[in-house]
């Protein structure tokens, strides 16, 4: 049996502080959930998680977005977005046009087909997420959201102190 980092830390707790064990638990949960979502997207829709994420960003912007704006929102490089865009344009899910104000800028948006297919995926995705969290009570979810918000603030504060 292959052990994840969290399990290894529990087996040798004297080697790890509580904060490190917390980080490993968060990472393990994220990895498990992301892996399941990736698998379901691939099996059900033959789509990758990055393509789904790109389409999700564009679904919120009916007039489209620049490649630069998409890459910022997805927190990836323009080069990563360009490859995804190419494949989604080829499949008919996106269209691409030159900006009316700057000929160097490309604006992308979901096609009618792309939007319809994305919304089907998004509806199932929402069901999958609910299923993955089904053992948590509404109170558990609220408490976890509160604690994760506090964790996010702590991490941002630490990063800002370092000048990031």
């Amino acid at each position: 049996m292959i052990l994840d980092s969290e399990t290894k830390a529990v087996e040798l707790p004297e080697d790890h502080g509580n904060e490190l064990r917390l980080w490993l638990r968060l990472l393990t949960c994220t990895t498990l959930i992301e892996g399941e979502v990736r698998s379901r997207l691939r099996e059900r829709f033959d789509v990758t998680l990055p393509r789904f994420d790109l389409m999700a960003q564009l679904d919120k912007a009916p007039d489209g977005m620049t490649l630069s704006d998409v890459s910022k929102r997805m927190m990836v490089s323009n080069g990563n977005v360009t490859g995804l865009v190419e494949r989604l344009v080829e499949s008919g899910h996106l269209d691409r046009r030159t900006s009316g104000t700057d000929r160097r800028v490309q604006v992308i948006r979901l096609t009618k087909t792309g939007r319809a297919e994305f919304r089907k995926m998004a509806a199932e995705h929402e069901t999958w997420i609910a299923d993955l969290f089904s053992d948590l009570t509404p109170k558990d979810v609220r408490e976890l959201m509160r604690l994760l918000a506090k964790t996010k603030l702590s991490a941002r504060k630490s990063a800002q102190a370092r000048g990031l």
Side-chain angles (χ1 to χ4, degrees):
M1 176 168 119
I2 297 174
L3 299 179
D4 59 47
S5 298
E6 181 187 2
T7 303
K8 290 176 187 175
V10 169
E11 289 180 352
L12 299 169
E14 66 280 358
D15 291 348
H16 305 283
N18 284 334
E19 292 82 1
L20 181 57
R21 287 198 308 277
L22 173 60
W23 160 242
L24 293 172
R25 169 125 343 140
L26 288 169
L27 187 59
T28 299
C29 290
T30 300
T31 302
L32 287 168
I33 293 165
E34 183 178 314
E36 185 61 21
V37 169
R38 282 179 188 277
S39 178
R40 290 181 188 197
L41 283 170
R42 192 172 38 257
E43 290 167 7
R44 179 71 176 94
F45 298 105
D46 193 28
V47 71
T48 64
L49 184 56
R51 286 184 196 179
F52 177 84
D53 288 344
L54 173 59
M55 293 171 77
Q57 292 302 320
L58 292 172
D59 188 56
K60 299 173 198 165
D63 294 330
M65 297 173 69
T66 66
L67 293 179
S68 179
D69 287 341
V70 171
S71 67
K72 285 177 193 165
R73 283 189 177 204
M74 292 180 67
M75 296 184 280
V76 298
S77 72
N78 281 346
N80 287 344
V81 170
T82 301
L84 292 171
V85 168
E86 291 298 325
R87 288 185 290 283
L88 287 167
V89 167
E90 288 171 13
S91 68
H93 291 90
L94 299 185
D95 73 8
R96 177 180 37 210
R97 57 182 161 43
T98 303
S99 168
T101 58
D102 186 343
R103 296 180 52 85
R104 299 168 295 171
V105 175
Q106 297 281 314
V107 176
I108 56 172
R109 68 177 173 198
L110 288 170
T111 61
K112 187 175 183 179
T113 298
R115 187 170 310 283
E117 288 187 21
F118 169 74
R119 291 196 174 160
K120 285 181 198 169
M121 287 184 254
E124 283 198 41
H125 175 268
E126 188 173 344
T127 301
W128 302 336
I129 298 301
D131 176 57
L132 290 166
F133 288 97
S134 64
D135 287 345
L136 299 176
T137 67
K139 182 180 177 186
D140 292 336
V141 171
R142 284 191 305 275
E143 182 66 3
L144 190 52
M145 289 293 288
R146 184 187 70 75
L147 291 170
L148 288 172
K150 192 172 181 179
T151 303
K152 183 178 175 181
L153 284 173
S154 179
R156 278 203 173 135
K157 183 179 170 185
S158 178
Q160 287 171 345
R162 293 190 44 235
L164 298 176

